[in-house]
Amino acid sequence: MICWARASTAEIACALRIPQGTAAGVMRESRGLTHALPLTLQALRTGQISARHAQRMRDHVASIPPLPGDRDRALGQCRPVRRSRGGEALPADL
């Protein structure tokens, strides 16, 4: 598995003409978006957010301490919010 990961990192680095360390970071970020933040990835794909916004989301989620019990289930119970024109956070269903 390690050999495959190194080979794929080297191929990506070569194709993008970036150092292997940078390519490894890009791959880590991609895995994080794919597995932990699928809605953020979808928003990035559709152009609703920029790559920098996606990075910030990933960084913020990584800083959340683990919740007791099932973290994915607890996070899934969080309600989405939207911003009003005045910047006030409102439940998304209003």
Side-chain angles (χ1 to χ4, degrees):
M1 184 71 169
I2 293 173
C3 195
W4 176 85
R6 285 185 183 168
S8 61
T9 301
E11 286 186 35
I12 289 171
C14 184
L16 297 176
R17 297 180 181 178
I18 58 176
Q20 277 188 286
T22 303
V26 169
M27 291 175 68
R28 269 192 309 276
E29 289 179 14
S30 299
R31 277 193 297 275
L33 285 174
T34 302
H35 297 292
L37 300 167
L39 295 177
T40 301
L41 178 61
Q42 181 182 359
L44 179 62
R45 283 181 176 157
T46 60
Q48 293 175 318
I49 63 172
S50 69
R52 184 67 183 137
H53 288 112
Q55 288 173 343
R56 295 290 300 231
M57 284 293 294
R58 184 185 43 83
D59 293 344
H60 284 297
V61 168
S63 71
I64 297 172
L67 298 171
D70 184 5
R71 178 181 178 182
D72 293 334
R73 185 173 50 97
L75 288 176
Q77 293 173 357
C78 295
R79 293 178 55 187
V81 297
R82 66 177 175 85
R83 298 281 177 190
S84 69
R85 288 186 181 186
E88 177 184 357
L90 301 171
D93 53 359
L94 289 181

XYZ file of all heavy atoms in Angstrom:
706
model
N 0.823 -1.194 0.000
C 0.000 0.000 0.000
C 0.867 1.258 0.000
O 0.557 2.213 -0.681
C -0.932 -0.046 1.227
C -1.903 1.090 1.276
S -3.137 0.891 0.000
C -4.283 2.109 0.471
N 1.936 1.242 0.774
C 2.818 2.406 0.850
C 3.452 2.675 -0.509
O 3.552 3.821 -0.937
C 3.879 2.210 1.942
C 3.214 2.197 3.315
C 4.923 3.302 1.886
C 4.137 1.837 4.444
N 3.853 1.611 -1.189
C 4.471 1.764 -2.508
C 3.486 2.400 -3.494
O 3.859 3.287 -4.259
C 4.944 0.409 -3.004
S 6.083 0.507 -4.385
N 2.227 1.965 -3.450
C 1.205 2.541 -4.337
C 0.985 4.009 -4.025
O 0.869 4.837 -4.922
C -0.106 1.768 -4.190
C -1.205 2.368 -4.996
C -1.466 2.144 -6.309
C -2.167 3.340 -4.557
N -2.540 2.904 -6.714
C -2.988 3.650 -5.664
C -2.413 3.969 -3.353
C -4.032 4.546 -5.576
C -3.456 4.877 -3.277
C -4.247 5.161 -4.381
N 0.924 4.351 -2.736
C 0.694 5.742 -2.339
C 1.838 6.632 -2.804
O 1.616 7.736 -3.307
C 0.516 5.836 -0.827
N 3.069 6.161 -2.658
C 4.221 6.941 -3.111
C 4.219 7.107 -4.619
O 4.521 8.187 -5.133
C 5.522 6.277 -2.667
C 5.809 6.464 -1.217
C 7.155 5.902 -0.862
N 7.392 6.038 0.556
C 8.375 5.447 1.188
N 9.210 4.675 0.531
N 8.523 5.622 2.478
N 3.875 6.042 -5.320
C 3.850 6.112 -6.785
C 2.774 7.078 -7.272
O 3.018 7.873 -8.180
C 3.619 4.720 -7.375
N 1.604 7.019 -6.659
C 0.531 7.928 -7.091
C 0.871 9.373 -6.742
O 0.590 10.284 -7.525
C -0.810 7.519 -6.487
O -0.767 7.570 -5.080
N 1.512 9.587 -5.597
C 1.942 10.935 -5.228
C 2.974 11.450 -6.225
O 2.905 12.605 -6.661
C 2.536 10.947 -3.801
O 1.544 10.491 -2.889
C 2.978 12.340 -3.406
N 3.905 10.591 -6.610
C 4.934 10.990 -7.577
C 4.313 11.320 -8.930
O 4.715 12.289 -9.585
C 5.973 9.882 -7.726
N 3.332 10.536 -9.355
C 2.669 10.796 -10.635
C 1.920 12.117 -10.617
O 1.971 12.892 -11.576
C 1.714 9.654 -10.980
C 2.425 8.401 -11.439
C 1.452 7.342 -11.920
O 0.414 7.718 -12.513
O 1.736 6.166 -11.709
N 1.215 12.387 -9.519
C 0.472 13.646 -9.404
C 1.434 14.821 -9.388
O 1.209 15.842 -10.040
C -0.438 13.627 -8.159
C -1.591 12.648 -8.396
C -0.953 15.010 -7.820
C -2.437 12.373 -7.197
N 2.530 14.679 -8.649
C 3.535 15.743 -8.587
C 4.116 16.025 -9.968
O 4.273 17.193 -10.363
C 4.652 15.355 -7.619
N 4.377 14.987 -10.700
C 4.927 15.145 -12.048
C 3.903 15.806 -12.974
O 4.238 16.725 -13.712
C 5.351 13.788 -12.586
S 6.147 13.859 -14.196
N 2.668 15.351 -12.909
C 1.637 15.892 -13.796
C 1.351 17.359 -13.502
O 1.123 18.151 -14.420
C 0.354 15.075 -13.656
N 1.367 17.730 -12.227
C 1.072 19.109 -11.848
C 2.316 19.991 -11.777
O 2.210 21.191 -11.533
C 0.353 19.136 -10.487
C -1.007 18.452 -10.425
C -1.558 18.477 -9.006
C -1.986 19.089 -11.397
N 3.470 19.348 -11.942
C 4.764 20.047 -11.862
C 4.931 20.765 -10.529
O 5.252 21.962 -10.467
C 4.934 21.009 -13.026
C 4.956 20.295 -14.354
C 5.115 21.251 -15.485
N 5.094 20.491 -16.728
C 5.166 21.036 -17.903
N 5.280 22.331 -18.037
N 5.145 20.288 -18.982
N 4.685 20.002 -9.456
C 4.846 20.508 -8.103
C 5.703 19.511 -7.325
O 5.828 18.356 -7.721
C 3.479 20.711 -7.401
C 2.682 19.398 -7.356
C 2.676 21.821 -8.066
C 1.365 19.488 -6.590
N 6.311 19.938 -6.213
C 7.103 18.996 -5.399
C 6.234 17.878 -4.836
O 5.021 18.049 -4.646
C 7.645 19.871 -4.267
C 7.542 21.274 -4.752
C 6.385 21.305 -5.703
N 6.875 16.741 -4.538
C 6.128 15.599 -4.022
C 5.469 15.906 -2.688
O 4.362 15.441 -2.418
C 7.028 14.376 -3.885
C 7.179 13.628 -5.204
C 7.916 12.328 -5.005
O 9.126 12.331 -4.813
N 7.186 11.236 -5.050
N 6.103 16.683 -1.850
C 5.499 17.049 -0.566
C 4.214 17.839 -0.755
O 3.230 17.635 -0.042
N 4.225 18.736 -1.723
C 3.023 19.521 -2.026
C 1.925 18.608 -2.568
O 0.752 18.738 -2.195
C 3.353 20.624 -3.039
O 4.400 21.437 -2.510
C 2.142 21.491 -3.344
N 2.309 17.688 -3.434
C 1.332 16.736 -3.985
C 0.730 15.877 -2.882
O -0.477 15.600 -2.887
C 1.986 15.861 -5.042
N 1.555 15.469 -1.924
C 1.045 14.667 -0.798
C 0.026 15.479 0.000
O -1.005 14.949 0.424
C 2.195 14.211 0.095
N 0.283 16.774 0.190
C -0.664 17.636 0.892
C -1.973 17.785 0.141
O -3.058 17.761 0.738
N -1.877 17.929 -1.171
C -3.087 18.035 -2.006
C -3.918 16.762 -1.888
O -5.145 16.812 -1.769
C -2.706 18.314 -3.477
C -3.897 18.153 -4.398
C -2.102 19.700 -3.612
N -3.244 15.627 -1.879
C -3.962 14.353 -1.762
C -4.632 14.224 -0.393
O -5.775 13.756 -0.305
C -3.016 13.186 -2.023
C -2.575 13.116 -3.478
S -1.363 11.841 -3.798
C -2.327 10.385 -3.545
N -3.945 14.649 0.676
C -4.547 14.613 2.013
C -5.790 15.500 2.071
O -6.828 15.104 2.602
C -3.534 15.084 3.066
C -2.706 13.999 3.677
C -1.937 14.490 4.900
N -1.188 15.717 4.645
C 0.026 15.775 4.109
N 0.629 14.673 3.737
N 0.635 16.937 3.936
N -5.677 16.706 1.520
C -6.819 17.614 1.505
C -7.980 17.015 0.715
O -9.141 17.121 1.120
C -6.426 18.959 0.899
C -5.533 19.781 1.782
C -5.136 21.098 1.149
O -5.764 21.502 0.146
O -4.209 21.728 1.672
N -7.667 16.392 -0.396
C -8.709 15.782 -1.232
C -9.419 14.662 -0.495
O -10.646 14.557 -0.533
C -8.102 15.244 -2.529
O -7.523 16.289 -3.259
N -8.643 13.819 0.188
C -9.253 12.731 0.961
C -10.131 13.298 2.074
O -11.217 12.792 2.336
C -8.178 11.816 1.543
C -7.668 10.774 0.571
C -6.845 9.703 1.272
N -5.640 10.244 1.890
C -4.485 10.435 1.276
N -4.364 10.118 0.015
N -3.444 10.919 1.929
N -9.653 14.350 2.722
C -10.438 14.956 3.793
C -11.767 15.495 3.301
O -12.807 15.300 3.932
N -11.746 16.161 2.160
C -12.997 16.682 1.597
C -13.918 15.552 1.150
O -15.123 15.601 1.367
C -12.710 17.616 0.425
C -12.178 18.994 0.775
C -11.797 19.743 -0.502
C -13.195 19.787 1.562
N -13.342 14.543 0.526
C -14.138 13.444 -0.003
C -14.832 12.664 1.109
O -16.017 12.352 1.006
C -13.262 12.489 -0.832
O -12.654 13.236 -1.878
C -14.069 11.358 -1.424
N -14.105 12.381 2.185
C -14.649 11.516 3.233
C -15.342 12.276 4.355
O -16.389 11.840 4.839
C -13.539 10.638 3.817
C -12.943 9.711 2.803
N -13.631 8.669 2.256
C -11.723 9.713 2.228
C -12.861 8.046 1.379
N -11.699 8.664 1.342
N -14.788 13.400 4.782
C -15.324 14.085 5.960
C -16.278 15.232 5.620
O -17.155 15.546 6.412
C -14.171 14.619 6.810
N -16.098 15.851 4.461
C -16.889 17.039 4.125
C -17.480 16.958 2.716
O -17.202 17.784 1.854
C -16.006 18.293 4.239
C -15.401 18.553 5.617
C -14.321 19.602 5.537
C -16.484 18.962 6.577
N -18.332 15.979 2.468
C -18.869 15.828 1.111
C -19.700 17.017 0.634
O -19.686 17.344 -0.545
C -19.696 14.545 1.177
C -20.021 14.363 2.625
C -18.861 14.963 3.378
N -20.406 17.693 1.532
C -21.199 18.851 1.113
C -20.301 20.033 0.755
O -20.609 20.804 -0.158
C -22.198 19.244 2.199
C -23.278 18.207 2.490
C -24.170 18.667 3.635
C -24.092 17.912 1.246
N -19.186 20.162 1.458
C -18.212 21.200 1.120
C -17.602 20.904 -0.241
O -17.437 21.805 -1.069
C -17.118 21.276 2.196
O -17.737 21.554 3.458
C -16.095 22.350 1.878
N -17.294 19.643 -0.492
C -16.752 19.246 -1.792
C -17.753 19.548 -2.900
O -17.386 20.073 -3.955
C -16.389 17.762 -1.790
C -15.858 17.200 -3.102
C -14.571 17.907 -3.531
C -15.616 15.705 -2.965
N -19.020 19.266 -2.662
C -20.056 19.550 -3.658
C -20.149 21.051 -3.940
O -20.252 21.472 -5.088
C -21.398 19.014 -3.186
C -22.531 19.245 -4.155
C -23.856 18.728 -3.609
O -23.934 18.183 -2.512
N -24.901 18.899 -4.383
N -20.100 21.862 -2.889
C -20.151 23.317 -3.059
C -18.929 23.812 -3.831
O -19.031 24.716 -4.670
C -20.242 24.005 -1.703
N -17.781 23.206 -3.586
C -16.564 23.570 -4.317
C -16.698 23.208 -5.792
O -16.374 23.998 -6.673
C -15.360 22.859 -3.691
C -14.005 23.097 -4.331
C -13.612 24.557 -4.248
C -12.956 22.226 -3.651
N -17.227 22.028 -6.062
C -17.395 21.577 -7.450
C -18.348 22.465 -8.237
O -18.158 22.697 -9.421
C -17.916 20.147 -7.478
C -16.889 19.116 -7.178
C -17.490 17.733 -7.254
N -16.464 16.724 -7.062
C -16.718 15.500 -6.650
N -17.958 15.126 -6.385
N -15.735 14.641 -6.502
N -19.390 22.956 -7.569
C -20.392 23.759 -8.270
C -20.035 25.240 -8.306
O -20.776 26.032 -8.873
C -21.784 23.587 -7.625
O -21.721 24.005 -6.263
C -22.267 22.152 -7.726
N -18.927 25.595 -7.675
C -18.486 26.982 -7.707
C -19.145 27.870 -6.668
O -19.011 29.088 -6.712
N -19.863 27.282 -5.717
C -20.503 28.067 -4.674
C -19.489 28.611 -3.673
O -19.745 29.629 -3.034
C -21.552 27.233 -3.945
C -22.727 26.866 -4.824
C -23.679 25.934 -4.110
O -23.260 25.006 -3.429
N -24.968 26.187 -4.259
N -18.369 27.912 -3.516
C -17.295 28.368 -2.635
C -15.970 28.213 -3.370
O -15.873 27.472 -4.347
C -17.254 27.588 -1.300
C -16.961 26.102 -1.539
C -18.536 27.788 -0.508
C -16.707 25.318 -0.268
N -14.954 28.905 -2.885
C -13.622 28.812 -3.487
C -12.811 27.713 -2.804
O -13.209 27.189 -1.750
C -12.891 30.147 -3.335
O -12.572 30.369 -1.967
N -11.665 27.390 -3.377
C -10.776 26.399 -2.778
C -10.315 26.853 -1.400
O -10.179 26.047 -0.476
C -9.577 26.142 -3.686
N -10.100 28.145 -1.244
C -9.686 28.675 0.058
C -10.786 28.493 1.095
O -10.513 28.160 2.248
C -9.312 30.150 -0.075
C -8.788 30.737 1.197
C -7.439 30.118 1.555
N -7.007 30.654 2.825
C -6.472 29.949 3.791
N -6.242 28.677 3.629
N -6.121 30.510 4.921
N -12.046 28.686 0.701
C -13.151 28.447 1.625
C -13.176 26.983 2.061
O -13.396 26.677 3.232
C -14.497 28.810 0.990
C -14.719 30.265 0.839
N -14.762 30.873 -0.399
C -14.907 31.238 1.747
C -14.974 32.162 -0.233
N -15.055 32.418 1.063
N -12.975 26.076 1.117
C -12.973 24.649 1.434
C -11.836 24.314 2.400
O -12.020 23.522 3.333
C -12.852 23.821 0.152
N -10.666 24.920 2.195
C -9.544 24.694 3.108
C -9.883 25.178 4.515
O -9.576 24.509 5.503
C -8.294 25.416 2.616
C -7.669 24.795 1.394
C -6.532 25.645 0.847
O -6.406 26.824 1.165
N -5.703 25.035 0.016
N -10.508 26.330 4.600
C -10.884 26.871 5.907
C -11.900 25.963 6.607
O -11.808 25.737 7.810
C -11.464 28.285 5.768
C -10.506 29.339 5.278
C -9.465 29.654 6.309
N -10.097 30.134 7.526
C -9.776 31.228 8.167
N -8.791 31.962 7.722
N -10.399 31.570 9.261
N -12.855 25.438 5.852
C -13.824 24.503 6.433
C -13.112 23.273 6.978
O -13.391 22.819 8.094
C -14.864 24.077 5.387
C -15.901 25.116 5.085
S -16.973 25.432 6.490
C -17.803 23.862 6.631
N -12.198 22.732 6.183
C -11.446 21.550 6.607
C -10.649 21.847 7.874
O -10.648 21.064 8.822
C -10.514 21.093 5.490
C -9.761 19.818 5.798
C -8.765 19.487 4.697
N -8.015 20.627 4.228
C -6.890 21.108 4.834
N -6.433 20.535 5.897
N -6.262 22.138 4.334
N -10.010 23.012 7.922
C -9.226 23.392 9.090
C -10.105 23.540 10.328
O -9.736 23.106 11.421
C -8.472 24.695 8.837
C -7.394 24.553 7.782
O -7.015 23.397 7.447
O -6.930 25.592 7.274
N -11.276 24.154 10.159
C -12.174 24.351 11.299
C -12.720 23.022 11.804
O -12.796 22.802 13.010
C -13.319 25.294 10.939
C -12.908 26.722 10.890
N -12.451 27.414 11.977
C -12.866 27.602 9.859
C -12.149 28.649 11.635
N -12.391 28.787 10.337
N -13.104 22.145 10.905
C -13.639 20.847 11.323
C -12.551 20.033 12.016
O -12.812 19.355 13.007
C -14.235 20.088 10.114
C -14.535 18.641 10.469
C -15.497 20.789 9.646
N -11.326 20.128 11.533
C -10.225 19.394 12.158
C -9.955 19.892 13.573
O -9.443 19.138 14.409
C -8.972 19.520 11.307
N -10.313 21.141 13.868
C -10.061 21.694 15.199
C -11.165 21.365 16.203
O -11.016 21.662 17.390
C -9.880 23.211 15.107
O -11.110 23.843 14.812
N -12.252 20.761 15.754
C -13.348 20.405 16.658
C -12.929 19.189 17.475
O -12.556 18.164 16.909
C -14.641 20.088 15.880
C -15.111 21.319 15.114
C -15.737 19.593 16.831
C -16.266 21.040 14.181
N -12.982 19.283 18.801
C -12.607 18.116 19.610
C -13.617 16.984 19.416
O -14.796 17.246 19.130
C -12.630 18.637 21.039
C -13.465 19.862 21.006
C -13.390 20.414 19.607
N -13.163 15.750 19.531
C -14.086 14.617 19.363
C -15.226 14.687 20.370
O -15.035 15.057 21.523
C -13.218 13.397 19.631
C -11.814 13.862 19.493
C -11.804 15.318 19.811
N -16.420 14.366 19.910
C -17.599 14.338 20.772
C -17.719 12.964 21.405
O -17.310 11.967 20.813
C -18.855 14.630 19.946
C -18.918 15.997 19.274
C -20.104 16.052 18.334
C -19.001 17.092 20.310
N -18.276 12.888 22.599
C -18.490 11.569 23.181
C -19.499 10.791 22.340
O -20.449 11.359 21.818
C -19.035 11.852 24.582
C -19.470 13.276 24.566
C -18.729 13.959 23.444
N -19.275 9.536 22.186
C -20.183 8.713 21.385
C -19.871 8.805 19.910
O -18.725 8.963 19.504
N -20.888 8.733 19.095
C -20.742 8.714 17.644
C -20.653 10.137 17.103
O -21.657 10.842 17.019
C -21.925 7.970 17.024
C -21.797 7.815 15.526
O -20.756 8.198 14.958
O -22.756 7.291 14.930
N -19.457 10.570 16.722
C -19.245 11.940 16.249
C -20.046 12.230 14.982
O -20.658 13.281 14.857
C -17.757 12.155 16.000
C -17.477 13.539 15.475
C -16.029 13.744 15.207
N -15.858 15.081 14.656
C -14.736 15.576 14.284
N -13.643 14.888 14.384
N -14.665 16.785 13.783
N -20.042 11.301 14.022
C -20.747 11.539 12.765
C -22.238 11.728 12.992
O -22.864 12.590 12.397
C -20.514 10.391 11.780
C -19.077 10.327 11.311
O -18.406 11.380 11.316
O -18.621 9.240 10.942
N -22.818 10.935 13.868
C -24.246 11.052 14.150
C -24.543 12.377 14.837
O -25.495 13.074 14.496
C -24.714 9.896 15.023
C -26.208 9.878 15.269
C -26.619 8.619 16.004
N -25.803 8.389 17.171
C -26.162 8.737 18.418
N -27.317 9.280 18.629
N -25.364 8.501 19.429
N -23.688 12.779 15.779
C -23.903 14.037 16.492
C -23.768 15.223 15.551
O -24.566 16.153 15.593
C -22.906 14.157 17.646
N -22.764 15.211 14.668
C -22.600 16.299 13.716
C -23.743 16.337 12.708
O -24.137 17.398 12.256
C -21.261 16.185 12.986
C -20.033 16.505 13.824
C -18.772 16.258 13.017
C -20.065 17.919 14.344
N -24.287 15.175 12.370
C -25.403 15.117 11.437
C -26.671 15.732 11.998
O -27.575 16.095 11.258
N -26.743 15.873 13.323
C -27.924 16.451 13.948
C -27.858 17.973 13.997
O -28.827 18.619 14.375
C -28.081 15.891 15.353
C -28.405 14.412 15.349
C -28.401 13.826 16.743
O -28.110 14.498 17.715
N -28.721 12.551 16.830
N -26.709 18.552 13.647
C -26.587 20.008 13.639
C -27.452 20.582 12.524
O -27.506 20.046 11.428
C -25.137 20.426 13.414
S -24.057 19.932 14.749
N -28.126 21.682 12.812
C -28.978 22.314 11.807
C -28.165 23.298 10.988
O -27.405 24.080 11.537
C -30.123 23.046 12.491
C -31.083 22.085 13.171
C -32.169 22.809 13.884
N -32.864 23.704 12.980
C -33.772 24.565 13.377
N -34.089 24.659 14.648
N -34.370 25.359 12.514
N -28.338 23.298 9.669
C -27.636 24.285 8.845
C -28.179 25.683 9.112
O -29.331 25.841 9.513
C -27.921 23.839 7.414
C -29.064 22.902 7.495
C -29.143 22.386 8.898
N -27.328 26.688 8.923
C -27.763 28.067 9.103
C -27.500 28.849 7.828
O -26.715 28.454 6.986
C -27.032 28.762 10.281
C -27.351 28.090 11.594
C -25.540 28.801 10.043
N -28.196 29.945 7.682
C -27.939 30.865 6.581
C -27.811 32.244 7.188
O -28.211 32.489 8.317
C -29.057 30.824 5.546
C -30.386 31.323 6.018
C -31.426 31.315 4.898
N -32.727 31.693 5.387
C -33.150 32.947 5.513
N -32.360 33.941 5.176
N -34.345 33.220 5.971
N -27.216 33.145 6.463
C -27.009 34.504 6.963
C -28.071 35.438 6.396
O -28.376 35.392 5.206
C -25.633 35.020 6.559
C -24.499 34.218 7.125
C -24.254 34.593 8.542
N -23.195 33.766 9.090
C -22.895 33.736 10.350
N -23.560 34.458 11.205
N -21.923 32.978 10.786
N -28.629 36.274 7.256
C -29.561 37.300 6.779
C -28.751 38.444 6.200
O -27.534 38.477 6.306
C -30.430 37.792 7.940
O -29.635 38.531 8.844
N -29.419 39.392 5.610
C -28.709 40.540 5.025
C -27.926 41.315 6.066
O -26.911 41.903 5.785
C -29.687 41.451 4.304
C -30.182 40.841 3.029
C -31.023 41.794 2.256
N -31.475 41.124 1.048
C -32.135 41.711 0.109
N -32.456 42.974 0.219
N -32.511 41.047 -0.953
N -28.363 41.289 7.291
C -27.669 41.994 8.358
C -26.528 41.180 8.952
O -25.859 41.624 9.867
N -26.311 39.963 8.454
C -25.235 39.123 8.952
C -25.635 38.225 10.102
O -24.836 37.465 10.599
N -26.898 38.293 10.522
C -27.373 37.492 11.637
C -27.576 36.042 11.185
O -28.099 35.780 10.097
C -28.705 38.080 12.105
C -29.377 37.332 13.209
C -30.731 37.924 13.550
O -31.108 38.946 12.953
O -31.400 37.350 14.391
N -27.135 35.081 11.994
C -27.311 33.668 11.672
C -28.754 33.252 11.927
O -29.307 33.508 12.979
C -26.376 32.812 12.506
N -29.367 32.667 10.935
C -30.751 32.197 11.028
C -30.793 30.718 10.677
O -30.001 30.246 9.878
C -31.644 32.948 10.041
C -31.723 34.467 10.185
C -32.461 35.051 8.998
C -32.438 34.807 11.472
N -31.757 29.941 11.242
C -31.908 28.562 10.796
C -32.185 28.530 9.294
O -32.872 29.399 8.762
C -33.117 28.055 11.582
C -33.205 28.965 12.766
C -32.681 30.297 12.298
N -31.644 27.553 8.609
C -31.769 27.484 7.148
C -33.199 27.278 6.693
O -33.545 27.603 5.573
C -30.878 26.365 6.606
N -34.061 26.726 7.568
C -35.430 26.448 7.128
C -36.358 27.651 7.268
O -37.544 27.547 6.997
C -36.002 25.246 7.869
C -35.903 25.367 9.382
O -35.364 26.384 9.876
O -36.356 24.435 10.070
N -35.857 28.806 7.670
C -36.703 30.010 7.738
C -36.769 30.714 6.408
O -35.901 30.769 5.648
C -36.185 30.986 8.797
C -36.380 30.554 10.245
C -35.833 31.655 11.166
C -37.830 30.328 10.572
